[in-house]
PDB file of all heavy atoms in Angstrom:
ATOM      1  N   GLU U 328     -93.627  98.236 -62.895  1.00  0.00           N
ATOM      2  CA  GLU U 328     -93.623  97.046 -61.922  1.00  0.00           C
ATOM      3  C   GLU U 328     -94.594  96.006 -62.382  1.00  0.00           C
ATOM      4  O   GLU U 328     -94.343  94.753 -62.435  1.00  0.00           O
ATOM      5  CB  GLU U 328     -93.889  97.581 -60.573  1.00  0.00           C
ATOM      6  CG  GLU U 328     -93.915  96.425 -59.505  1.00  0.00           C
ATOM      7  CD  GLU U 328     -92.491  95.833 -59.332  1.00  0.00           C
ATOM      8  OE1 GLU U 328     -91.473  96.524 -59.552  1.00  0.00           O
ATOM      9  OE2 GLU U 328     -92.452  94.652 -58.957  1.00  0.00           O
ATOM     10  N   GLU U 329     -95.768  96.401 -62.749  1.00  0.00           N
ATOM     11  CA  GLU U 329     -96.819  95.432 -63.194  1.00  0.00           C
ATOM     12  C   GLU U 329     -96.368  94.790 -64.500  1.00  0.00           C
ATOM     13  O   GLU U 329     -96.552  93.586 -64.623  1.00  0.00           O
ATOM     14  CB  GLU U 329     -98.140  96.205 -63.510  1.00  0.00           C
ATOM     15  CG  GLU U 329     -98.885  96.611 -62.267  1.00  0.00           C
ATOM     16  CD  GLU U 329    -100.091  97.486 -62.571  1.00  0.00           C
ATOM     17  OE1 GLU U 329    -100.352  97.629 -63.765  1.00  0.00           O
ATOM     18  OE2 GLU U 329    -100.852  97.881 -61.642  1.00  0.00           O
ATOM     19  N   ALA U 330     -95.840  95.490 -65.406  1.00  0.00           N
ATOM     20  CA  ALA U 330     -95.331  94.898 -66.710  1.00  0.00           C
ATOM     21  C   ALA U 330     -94.238  93.899 -66.350  1.00  0.00           C
ATOM     22  O   ALA U 330     -94.105  92.852 -66.941  1.00  0.00           O
ATOM     23  CB  ALA U 330     -94.897  96.061 -67.656  1.00  0.00           C
ATOM     24  N   ASN U 331     -93.294  94.218 -65.505  1.00  0.00           N
ATOM     25  CA  ASN U 331     -92.206  93.345 -65.096  1.00  0.00           C
ATOM     26  C   ASN U 331     -92.762  92.047 -64.457  1.00  0.00           C
ATOM     27  O   ASN U 331     -92.267  90.984 -64.710  1.00  0.00           O
ATOM     28  CB  ASN U 331     -91.191  93.933 -64.211  1.00  0.00           C
ATOM     29  CG  ASN U 331     -90.267  94.953 -64.922  1.00  0.00           C
ATOM     30  OD1 ASN U 331     -89.881  94.644 -66.075  1.00  0.00           O
ATOM     31  ND2 ASN U 331     -89.805  95.992 -64.290  1.00  0.00           N
ATOM     32  N   LEU U 332     -93.764  92.201 -63.639  1.00  0.00           N
ATOM     33  CA  LEU U 332     -94.387  91.027 -62.976  1.00  0.00           C
ATOM     34  C   LEU U 332     -95.094  90.124 -64.048  1.00  0.00           C
ATOM     35  O   LEU U 332     -94.942  88.981 -64.082  1.00  0.00           O
ATOM     36  CB  LEU U 332     -95.425  91.439 -61.948  1.00  0.00           C
ATOM     37  CG  LEU U 332     -94.801  91.968 -60.661  1.00  0.00           C
ATOM     38  CD1 LEU U 332     -95.887  92.478 -59.730  1.00  0.00           C
ATOM     39  CD2 LEU U 332     -93.925  90.992 -59.993  1.00  0.00           C
ATOM     40  N   GLN U 333     -95.732  90.829 -64.962  1.00  0.00           N
ATOM     41  CA  GLN U 333     -96.395  90.077 -66.151  1.00  0.00           C
ATOM     42  C   GLN U 333     -95.252  89.400 -66.958  1.00  0.00           C
ATOM     43  O   GLN U 333     -95.460  88.246 -67.341  1.00  0.00           O
ATOM     44  CB  GLN U 333     -97.071  91.116 -67.082  1.00  0.00           C
ATOM     45  CG  GLN U 333     -97.701  90.408 -68.238  1.00  0.00           C
ATOM     46  CD  GLN U 333     -98.328  91.411 -69.250  1.00  0.00           C
ATOM     47  OE1 GLN U 333     -98.492  92.516 -68.918  1.00  0.00           O
ATOM     48  NE2 GLN U 333     -98.604  90.890 -70.493  1.00  0.00           N
ATOM     49  N   GLY U 334     -94.177  90.023 -67.196  1.00  0.00           N
ATOM     50  CA  GLY U 334     -93.063  89.473 -67.919  1.00  0.00           C
ATOM     51  C   GLY U 334     -92.508  88.200 -67.190  1.00  0.00           C
ATOM     52  O   GLY U 334     -92.108  87.203 -67.820  1.00  0.00           O
ATOM     53  N   GLU U 335     -92.437  88.328 -65.895  1.00  0.00           N
ATOM     54  CA  GLU U 335     -91.838  87.105 -65.101  1.00  0.00           C
ATOM     55  C   GLU U 335     -92.792  85.983 -65.258  1.00  0.00           C
ATOM     56  O   GLU U 335     -92.361  84.793 -65.303  1.00  0.00           O
ATOM     57  CB  GLU U 335     -91.651  87.550 -63.625  1.00  0.00           C
ATOM     58  CG  GLU U 335     -90.466  88.331 -63.393  1.00  0.00           C
ATOM     59  CD  GLU U 335     -90.381  88.732 -61.908  1.00  0.00           C
ATOM     60  OE1 GLU U 335     -90.894  88.005 -61.043  1.00  0.00           O
ATOM     61  OE2 GLU U 335     -89.646  89.772 -61.599  1.00  0.00           O
ATOM     62  N   SER U 336     -94.058  86.214 -65.221  1.00  0.00           N
ATOM     63  CA  SER U 336     -95.091  85.073 -65.371  1.00  0.00           C
ATOM     64  C   SER U 336     -94.987  84.559 -66.776  1.00  0.00           C
ATOM     65  O   SER U 336     -95.378  83.356 -67.045  1.00  0.00           O
ATOM     66  CB  SER U 336     -96.467  85.535 -64.992  1.00  0.00           C
ATOM     67  OG  SER U 336     -96.987  86.468 -65.909  1.00  0.00           O
ATOM     68  N   GLU U 337     -94.593  85.301 -67.792  1.00  0.00           N
ATOM     69  CA  GLU U 337     -94.420  84.816 -69.128  1.00  0.00           C
ATOM     70  C   GLU U 337     -93.226  84.005 -69.372  1.00  0.00           C
ATOM     71  O   GLU U 337     -93.072  83.234 -70.460  1.00  0.00           O
ATOM     72  CB  GLU U 337     -94.509  86.019 -70.072  1.00  0.00           C
ATOM     73  CG  GLU U 337     -95.830  86.758 -70.137  1.00  0.00           C
ATOM     74  CD  GLU U 337     -95.620  88.180 -70.783  1.00  0.00           C
ATOM     75  OE1 GLU U 337     -94.550  88.503 -71.208  1.00  0.00           O
ATOM     76  OE2 GLU U 337     -96.731  88.695 -71.001  1.00  0.00           O
ATOM     77  N   MET U 338     -92.181  84.134 -68.463  1.00  0.00           N
ATOM     78  CA  MET U 338     -90.958  83.370 -68.748  1.00  0.00           C
ATOM     79  C   MET U 338     -91.194  81.887 -68.527  1.00  0.00           C
ATOM     80  O   MET U 338     -92.054  81.402 -67.733  1.00  0.00           O
ATOM     81  CB  MET U 338     -89.899  83.825 -67.678  1.00  0.00           C
ATOM     82  CG  MET U 338     -89.455  85.235 -67.902  1.00  0.00           C
ATOM     83  SD  MET U 338     -88.257  85.610 -66.690  1.00  0.00           S
ATOM     84  CE  MET U 338     -87.574  87.052 -67.347  1.00  0.00           C
ATOM     85  N   GLN U 339     -90.483  81.166 -69.305  1.00  0.00           N
ATOM     86  CA  GLN U 339     -90.506  79.653 -69.214  1.00  0.00           C
ATOM     87  C   GLN U 339     -89.247  79.179 -68.881  1.00  0.00           C
ATOM     88  O   GLN U 339     -88.142  79.631 -69.287  1.00  0.00           O
ATOM     89  CB  GLN U 339     -91.033  79.166 -70.568  1.00  0.00           C
ATOM     90  CG  GLN U 339     -92.406  79.574 -70.969  1.00  0.00           C
ATOM     91  CD  GLN U 339     -92.772  79.131 -72.320  1.00  0.00           C
ATOM     92  OE1 GLN U 339     -92.024  78.298 -72.906  1.00  0.00           O
ATOM     93  NE2 GLN U 339     -93.985  79.556 -72.815  1.00  0.00           N
ATOM     94  N   SER U 340     -89.188  77.978 -68.147  1.00  0.00           N
ATOM     95  CA  SER U 340     -87.958  77.398 -67.816  1.00  0.00           C
ATOM     96  C   SER U 340     -87.753  76.161 -68.701  1.00  0.00           C
ATOM     97  O   SER U 340     -88.638  75.351 -69.043  1.00  0.00           O
ATOM     98  CB  SER U 340     -88.038  76.897 -66.338  1.00  0.00           C
ATOM     99  OG  SER U 340     -86.837  76.210 -65.994  1.00  0.00           O
ATOM    100  N   HIS U 341     -86.594  76.009 -69.332  1.00  0.00           N
ATOM    101  CA  HIS U 341     -86.182  75.012 -70.155  1.00  0.00           C
ATOM    102  C   HIS U 341     -84.950  74.329 -69.715  1.00  0.00           C
ATOM    103  O   HIS U 341     -83.966  75.042 -69.319  1.00  0.00           O
ATOM    104  CB  HIS U 341     -85.998  75.450 -71.633  1.00  0.00           C
ATOM    105  CG  HIS U 341     -87.145  76.060 -72.241  1.00  0.00           C
ATOM    106  ND1 HIS U 341     -88.189  75.381 -72.770  1.00  0.00           N
ATOM    107  CD2 HIS U 341     -87.558  77.403 -72.445  1.00  0.00           C
ATOM    108  CE1 HIS U 341     -89.098  76.084 -73.260  1.00  0.00           C
ATOM    109  NE2 HIS U 341     -88.786  77.394 -73.103  1.00  0.00           N
ATOM    110  N   THR U 342     -84.920  73.001 -69.566  1.00  0.00           N
ATOM    111  CA  THR U 342     -83.793  72.281 -69.119  1.00  0.00           C
ATOM    112  C   THR U 342     -83.140  71.601 -70.304  1.00  0.00           C
ATOM    113  O   THR U 342     -83.823  70.943 -71.102  1.00  0.00           O
ATOM    114  CB  THR U 342     -84.184  71.297 -68.084  1.00  0.00           C
ATOM    115  OG1 THR U 342     -84.923  71.894 -67.038  1.00  0.00           O
ATOM    116  CG2 THR U 342     -83.048  70.465 -67.533  1.00  0.00           C
ATOM    117  N   PHE U 343     -81.811  71.726 -70.415  1.00  0.00           N
ATOM    118  CA  PHE U 343     -81.120  71.188 -71.521  1.00  0.00           C
ATOM    119  C   PHE U 343     -79.923  70.318 -70.858  1.00  0.00           C
ATOM    120  O   PHE U 343     -79.312  70.731 -69.876  1.00  0.00           O
ATOM    121  CB  PHE U 343     -80.483  72.281 -72.402  1.00  0.00           C
ATOM    122  CG  PHE U 343     -81.546  73.039 -73.109  1.00  0.00           C
ATOM    123  CD1 PHE U 343     -82.022  74.240 -72.696  1.00  0.00           C
ATOM    124  CD2 PHE U 343     -82.058  72.530 -74.361  1.00  0.00           C
ATOM    125  CE1 PHE U 343     -82.939  74.887 -73.308  1.00  0.00           C
ATOM    126  CE2 PHE U 343     -82.945  73.271 -75.062  1.00  0.00           C
ATOM    127  CZ  PHE U 343     -83.408  74.421 -74.573  1.00  0.00           C
ATOM    128  N   GLU U 344     -79.599  69.298 -71.572  1.00  0.00           N
ATOM    129  CA  GLU U 344     -78.430  68.387 -71.253  1.00  0.00           C
ATOM    130  C   GLU U 344     -77.458  68.292 -72.395  1.00  0.00           C
ATOM    131  O   GLU U 344     -77.896  68.040 -73.458  1.00  0.00           O
ATOM    132  CB  GLU U 344     -78.948  67.133 -70.741  1.00  0.00           C
ATOM    133  CG  GLU U 344     -77.851  66.238 -70.188  1.00  0.00           C
ATOM    134  CD  GLU U 344     -78.425  64.918 -69.607  1.00  0.00           C
ATOM    135  OE1 GLU U 344     -79.324  64.879 -68.873  1.00  0.00           O
ATOM    136  OE2 GLU U 344     -77.888  63.881 -70.022  1.00  0.00           O
TER     137      GLU U 344
END
Side-chain angles (χ1 to χ4, degrees):
E328 182 64 30
E329 286 175 2
N331 281 328
L332 289 172
Q333 177 188 345
E335 284 180 24
S336 70
E337 294 167 352
M338 290 181 169
Q339 298 176 4
S340 177
H341 297 280
T342 305
F343 293 94
E344 187 174 309

